[in-house]
Amino acid sequence: LRLKKLPRNKRERLVFSSQLALVVVVSCGLVFLLAIHFYLYRAITTREINQPTNETEPFTLTPLRDIDLELYTIRINTWKRHEQLLVSIEHHSKCVGVAQIQVVWCEDAEPPPPLLENPKVVVERHTINSLNERFHILEESPTLGILSMDDDVLRPCEAIDSGFFKWTRNPHRMVGFDSRTHVELNDGTWKYGYMSTTEKSNKYSLSLPRYCFLHKDYLNSYMANLPRTIFIRVQQDFNCEDIAMSFWISHLTGGSPPLLADVWAMKSLAKLYSPETISGTKSHKALRDACVNDFADILEIKGKLKKAKIWHSQEPLFHAGDEGNNEPPKQWRLVERNAELEKTLHHWKHLSNKNLMAELNTLKTSMIRHAFVLGLIADSPPWKRRWKQQDKD
């Protein structure tokens, strides 16, 4: 009644204002409801993305078969280092334990012809150029044991076998040839410990898949079950896939660090020279520090990841890292090549340090002979002639 007594123009303005207020209230309510819905959806999906695995379903590995006690498959990651790749293939294909060499090929260019002519080599052609792809199996491997490596690293076949036979006794663990550690800061953050930091502390907690043995099931698990935030981070930064895999296996094994090959085998490394490397970039250290901290948070391994000694006081050249299993799996048996290696190691243990170093140097010299001639061993006379001349040109 009061509304009807008002002048028409005032009455219309009042009705319009009421309607506008109602629209504003309803709109704000809808926005509030949408915000709550988005928040809940994001919380749920983020938790799902970062959820590493179903803790109620323990991860189990395919048991080893007879072939897996004798042979292994090499997966070699490469990127536009054809000369180094061919030298690596030439060397590793001579190792009697190699069943197959799978080359992870992410380049648009065709592989060099000599690569395709080697009967042990299978070229996996990947359409995505990402470091995650080194763990993406496209060609079924003949063995469960995988030796993951970069294209610029060589080790003698005997050194490889020392790591392989340790892995056959401990197939649920990674067995690495490179020890690294994480450094815990006062504020609770972690950062990456390089080789110098690791060796100075004589403690390690991770290893690098640039040269390590691991079960094939872990590669499939990495691709299928690794938290997507970590997976995407590796793809975007083009770094840290090695940290991701080492931490992933430690997460699945209750915080256990990787195992290590014998010290003499770890130190038998020969690095093939390349003018450009990922580790040479300015952002490399900062990226790896962030990866160690963030991946550990996502996988919830802070306070769980154990550190182990690298060197032990007794026989320091022949024992390294965590002890592993005293009891091998039921499928394990001592194969002939393993028995021969044990005899060699027994002989070495009774040599003087000088004579032992001489025998190990003979192994390494034989291994790098071709790379030496090509000028791929840094600071060697052929290397100086080749690369110093290129710098002058």
Side-chain angles (χ1 to χ4, degrees):
L1 293 175
R2 291 180 180 179
L3 193 62
K4 290 182 179 180
K5 293 180 180 180
L6 293 174
R8 182 178 179 180
N9 60 340
K10 290 186 177 181
R11 189 166 63 246
E12 289 177 349
R13 286 198 300 270
L14 184 59
V15 170
F16 175 77
S17 298
S18 300
Q19 291 174 338
L20 180 62
L22 180 61
V23 169
V24 170
V25 170
V26 171
S27 299
C28 289
L30 289 172
V31 170
F32 179 72
L33 290 174
L34 287 171
I36 292 176
H37 177 76
F38 176 76
Y39 174 81
L40 292 174
Y41 172 79
R42 184 175 180 183
I44 292 170
T45 54
T46 300
R47 187 168 63 250
E48 290 175 349
I49 287 172
N50 284 335
Q51 182 64 33
T53 186
N54 187 345
E55 298 295 341
T56 63
E57 297 180 8
F59 186 79
T60 57
L61 296 170
T62 305
L64 301 190
R65 307 153 301 176
D66 283 345
I67 188 175
D68 302 314
L69 302 176
E70 301 253 12
L71 304 175
Y72 53 88
T73 301
I74 290 177
R75 284 184 62 82
I76 183 166
N77 196 52
T78 187
W79 177 252
K80 295 185 177 180
R81 295 194 289 208
H82 299 176
E83 187 177 19
Q84 290 84 348
L85 173 64
L86 291 173
V87 169
S88 178
I89 295 291
E90 179 190 36
H91 165 66
H92 288 103
S93 62
K94 295 175 183 177
C95 297
V96 295
V98 175
Q100 187 179 89
I101 300 175
Q102 298 179 339
V103 178
V104 181
W105 191 265
C106 298
E107 301 178 33
D108 293 330
E110 286 295 309
L115 195 64
L116 304 175
E117 296 167 3
N118 191 311
K120 281 192 174 182
V121 173
V122 172
V123 179
E124 278 190 356
R125 296 173 184 261
H126 293 246
T127 58
I128 299 173
N129 180 25
S130 166
L131 289 175
N132 288 317
E133 292 297 298
R134 75 183 306 160
F135 306 127
H136 186 192
I137 299 175
L138 300 181
E139 300 285 343
E140 191 62 29
S141 63
T143 67
L144 294 175
I146 303 294
L147 175 56
S148 173
M149 69 167 65
D150 287 351
D151 57 6
D152 62 343
V153 182
L154 304 180
R155 279 190 173 87
C157 300
E158 294 84 353
I160 298 173
D161 273 350
S162 79
F164 172 63
F165 292 125
K166 191 168 191 176
W167 176 82
T168 61
R169 296 178 65 95
N170 303 270
H172 61 296
R173 306 280 287 275
M174 175 193 288
V175 177
F177 290 77
D178 300 278
S179 59
R180 298 292 185 271
T181 193
H182 68 275
V183 178
E184 300 178 25
L185 304 182
N186 292 333
D187 61 0
T189 59
W190 286 12
K191 68 177 185 177
Y192 183 71
Y194 284 88
M195 183 169 64
S196 57
T197 302
T198 304
E199 293 188 347
K200 184 178 180 180
S201 67
N202 193 27
K203 292 286 184 70
Y204 78 101
S205 55
L206 61 144
S207 190
L208 307 180
R210 74 170 182 176
Y211 218 96
C212 77
F213 280 100
L214 64 169
H215 197 292
K216 181 175 74 172
D217 288 354
Y218 284 132
L219 278 71
N220 295 328
S221 175
Y222 178 102
M223 296 301 297
N225 303 319
L226 185 76
R228 294 300 92 179
T229 46
I230 297 179
F231 192 89
I232 293 169
R233 177 83 159 270
V234 169
Q235 184 167 321
Q236 290 176 341
D237 291 347
F238 217 82
N239 206 321
C240 299
E241 88 291 351
D242 47 0
I243 296 170
M245 177 58 89
S246 187
F247 277 6
W248 179 239
I249 295 176
S250 290
H251 162 75
L252 294 174
T253 54
S256 298
L259 301 180
L260 297 177
D262 287 349
V263 174
W264 69 267
M266 294 168 64
K267 295 298 183 182
S268 66
L269 164 74
K271 191 95 160 114
L272 301 179
Y273 178 76
S274 180
E276 297 179 5
T277 61
I278 293 176
S279 59
T281 60
K282 292 181 179 179
S283 61
H284 182 69
K285 186 180 186 306
L287 283 174
R288 293 180 76 76
D289 284 344
C291 286
V292 164
N293 185 66
D294 296 345
F295 295 177
D297 280 334
I298 294 169
L299 294 174
E300 298 179 351
I301 58 173
K302 286 187 176 180
K304 299 177 182 177
L305 180 60
K306 304 175 184 71
K307 289 187 177 183
K309 283 186 177 182
I310 305 172
W311 297 288
H312 301 276
S313 56
Q314 294 181 340
E315 299 179 333
L317 284 176
F318 295 96
H319 295 286
D322 195 41
E323 292 299 324
N325 282 347
N326 292 323
E327 291 294 329
K330 293 180 180 179
Q331 302 82 10
W332 183 87
R333 61 183 172 83
L334 184 67
V335 300
E336 184 178 350
R337 202 170 78 257
N338 191 354
E340 290 298 320
L341 179 63
E342 290 296 329
K343 290 179 182 179
T344 300
L345 295 179
H346 180 76
H347 165 67
W348 285 352
K349 289 176 183 179
H350 290 83
L351 292 178
S352 66
N353 191 60
K354 179 180 178 181
N355 290 337
L356 174 58
M357 290 299 106
E359 291 207 17
L360 294 177
N361 285 333
T362 299
L363 281 180
K364 190 170 182 178
T365 301
S366 175
M367 174 186 70
I368 67 171
R369 186 172 291 117
H370 187 200
F372 181 89
V373 172
L374 293 175
L376 294 177
I377 303 300
D379 298 322
S380 66
W383 177 86
K384 292 176 181 177
R385 288 193 295 269
R386 175 178 177 178
W387 298 100
K388 296 301 181 181
Q389 184 60 42
Q390 285 190 14
D391 292 342
K392 291 178 181 179
D393 295 341

